[in-house]
Each structure stands twice: as C-alpha cells, then as structure tokens.
Amino acid sequence: MHCLSPKMVCETKIVADEHSIPGTKKDSIIVSASQMWTSSSSSPNSLEENLKKDTVFIREYELTDHEDVRRIFYDGIMERIPNTAFRGLKQQTKMQILYTCITIMCFVVTKSVALTCCTPVLLMGARYYFSRKVIHSFLDCALHTDMSDIEQYYMKPAGSCFWVAVLEGKVVGIVAAQGNEEDNTVELRRMSVDSRYRGKGIAKTLGRKVLEFAMLNNYSAIVLGTTAVKLAAHKLYESLGFKHMGVTEEYTLPGMSHSFVERMFFQLRYHRYRLQLREE
C-alpha cells in the first residue's frame, strides 16, 4: 500500500511568530511534537513558556470534538449566505446588467420614483432569500453525510485524515484530507476557522498540515475546490503554493432546484486549485 495510516502521522505543534503573511496577521512554524517534549534542554519553566496564548496545536480528530467541529463548520458555511448574496454580485456582470435593466423597466412602466428606488432593495432581498435557501440545503446534506460521521469518512480510510486546531484548550479550526487512489491525489476539504480566532495564521497551518500529510503518504498532488467569494481565501491557497486551475460558472450545489427564478438570484463560481508535489 502506498499510503501510511493516518494514525502514523505524528502530531504537530504550531507556534505563531511575528512574521506577517498575505491574508493573515501572523505566520506559524511547524515543530515536531517529539522535538518539543523530549529535548534534553527542556525544563518545566520553558515548557510553560511555550504554552502561551498564541500557541496552537494541530492534532487528529477525536470523538469528543464532534460538537465543536460541527459548530465551526456550520458557522463557516452560514457566513457564505451574505457573501454569496451581496459580495458575489460584484463578480457577476451579467446579473448586474439584468438587475439594472429591471430597475429601469420598473420606472418606464410605473413612472414611480418610489417604486423604482425600492426595486434594487427587493432584488437584493430575493438574492439573500435564495442564498439562504440553497446554502441551508447544502448544510443539511453535509451534516448528514461526512460531517455526521467523521470517523467513518476520514479517520478509518487509509490515505485520509481529519485534524483540529486547538488554542487554549478549545477547538478553533478544522481541516480534512481525503485521498483518491485513482489519480494519486489528496483533496483538501472542510477547512474552517472559528471567526473569533482568525488572523493568527491558523488556517495556513492547517493547510500546511495537509501538505505534510500528502508528502508523507507519497501523493503526487493536492487538489481543492472552493466557492468562496472572499479574496482572502484565494490568497491563502496561493500562499500555500496552490495554482488556480480554472473556474466553473453557475456551479450547482446539492439542494438547488435549477428553476429560472433561482438561477436569476443565486449563482456560484467554483474555483479549482492544485498543488503539484511531484511528477508521476
């Protein structure tokens, strides 16, 4: 078998330093757990100094993490409702033109300034409604599949794993790696950080954990797909070494009805990224 068991990958300790990186306020250094705890020069006082406020541990998922993991995942996906409804419109030139035409037609037909001024508000309200409807359907699907049984989907299969970031004894971030034997790639999935702990380089260290895992298991590349609207998310992937491979317009999520009205008010762009580790 070409993959190591996920359990054989050592736990790592992430110590934040003061160097800034694109998209984050602090970078992080990955240090082997064995180096941290077995060094002959270590002392109780120095170990206590290491356990500071900005110290983050990346470890494998445990059953007791289940509620925290679901909460972080849920909150992260819920943020996409306003992002998709409002920020996403900036990337949709056709929709901007369509909504402008509707507003103008409203004035031409009704000759009412008040109604015309209300039209953009109604259009944005419709975008928020359909964004909420579709993303809730996606959440329901995810929370009843892989996010309902992380052990079965990520911890038991060889070549896959799920990690949590722990800060001050709290789970503050998550990420998964799912191996694909057919093309010898591993997919980075379900990355999310608690909004209260962002800006500490946690997302980047979670991404580096997947990179480390892929190299240890001899995968040829890491792939990921995202519908994220925020530019910071794309800068994060690029800072990890991922290359943008293309975009799919009007991407379909589970739960979408494909009705004309829905397509008029809800659109997603699906970005594909790849980090090539070695040639096959």
Side-chain angles (χ1 to χ4, degrees):
M1 182 179 294
H2 89 286
C3 292
L4 299 176
S5 167
K7 300 295 183 182
M8 295 176 66
V9 180
C10 68
E11 181 180 285
T12 60
K13 180 176 181 180
I14 313 302
V15 184
D17 64 22
E18 297 180 353
H19 298 291
S20 63
I21 58 170
T24 63
K25 295 179 181 176
K26 293 184 179 179
D27 202 349
S28 304
I29 302 171
I30 300 181
V31 183
S32 167
S34 61
Q35 290 175 327
M36 291 299 299
W37 300 108
T38 62
S39 172
S40 59
S41 62
S42 297
S43 65
N45 290 335
S46 64
L47 293 178
E48 288 178 2
E49 286 296 318
N50 285 326
L51 298 175
K52 296 185 296 186
K53 186 175 181 179
D54 288 336
T55 302
V56 181
F57 290 91
I58 306 296
R59 62 166 173 78
E60 290 184 5
Y61 167 84
E62 298 172 357
L63 288 175
T64 53
D65 301 325
H66 186 66
E67 290 303 317
D68 288 327
V69 167
R70 284 172 65 93
R71 173 184 56 80
I72 292 170
F73 174 73
Y74 179 89
D75 291 347
I77 296 299
M78 286 295 287
E79 289 180 12
R80 302 208 175 174
I81 294 175
N83 288 338
T84 302
F86 306 131
R87 283 196 180 98
L89 184 58
K90 295 179 181 179
Q91 304 170 352
Q92 299 163 7
T93 305
K94 291 181 180 179
M95 290 298 107
Q96 293 177 28
I97 295 172
L98 175 61
Y99 297 161
T100 301
C101 290
I102 291 174
T103 304
I104 293 172
M105 286 177 62
C106 178
F107 178 75
V108 170
V109 172
T110 67
K111 298 294 191 289
S112 169
V113 175
L115 185 58
T116 302
C117 290
C118 289
T119 301
V121 177
L122 294 174
L123 291 172
M124 291 301 100
R127 284 184 65 87
Y128 184 86
Y129 169 79
F130 281 101
S131 180
R132 183 177 178 84
K133 175 178 176 291
V134 173
I135 288 175
H136 266 289
S137 296
F138 167 75
L139 262 174
D140 184 65
C141 178
L143 291 174
H144 285 86
T145 52
D146 63 309
M147 296 305 290
S148 69
D149 193 348
I150 292 169
E151 282 280 335
Q152 183 66 36
Y153 276 84
Y154 297 109
M155 302 307 293
K156 290 183 179 179
S160 297
C161 198
F162 197 104
W163 298 272
V164 297
V166 181
L167 177 65
E168 297 178 309
K170 301 175 183 177
V171 175
V172 298
I174 60 173
V175 73
Q178 189 170 46
N180 186 340
E181 295 285 343
E182 293 183 3
D183 59 4
N184 196 32
T185 63
V186 62
E187 182 181 4
L188 186 154
R189 306 192 71 204
R190 305 311 193 199
M191 182 188 284
S192 187
V193 175
D194 190 317
S195 60
R196 296 169 294 178
Y197 297 92
R198 292 173 187 167
K200 298 179 180 293
I202 296 172
K204 191 166 188 178
T205 55
L206 286 166
R208 285 175 173 170
K209 184 60 186 176
V210 176
L211 175 59
E212 173 192 343
F213 177 81
M215 291 189 294
L216 285 172
N217 286 277
N218 297 318
Y219 283 108
S220 61
I222 308 171
V223 298
L224 69 87
T226 181
T227 58
V229 175
K230 287 185 176 180
L231 184 61
H234 297 275
K235 286 185 175 180
L236 168 65
Y237 303 136
E238 291 170 0
S239 72
L240 287 166
F242 284 89
K243 291 185 177 181
H244 190 257
M245 304 302 293
V247 60
T248 301
E249 301 288 348
E250 298 184 13
Y251 181 71
T252 301
L253 280 179
M256 291 183 68
S257 67
H258 302 289
S259 68
F260 172 77
V261 176
E262 184 182 83
R263 285 186 284 112
M264 183 175 171
F265 293 109
F266 182 84
Q267 306 85 27
L268 278 178
R269 305 178 81 202
Y270 182 79
H271 298 265
R272 300 182 302 279
Y273 284 89
R274 184 181 184 93
L275 197 167
Q276 194 69 35
L277 301 174
R278 60 185 176 81
E279 296 298 329
E280 286 291 274

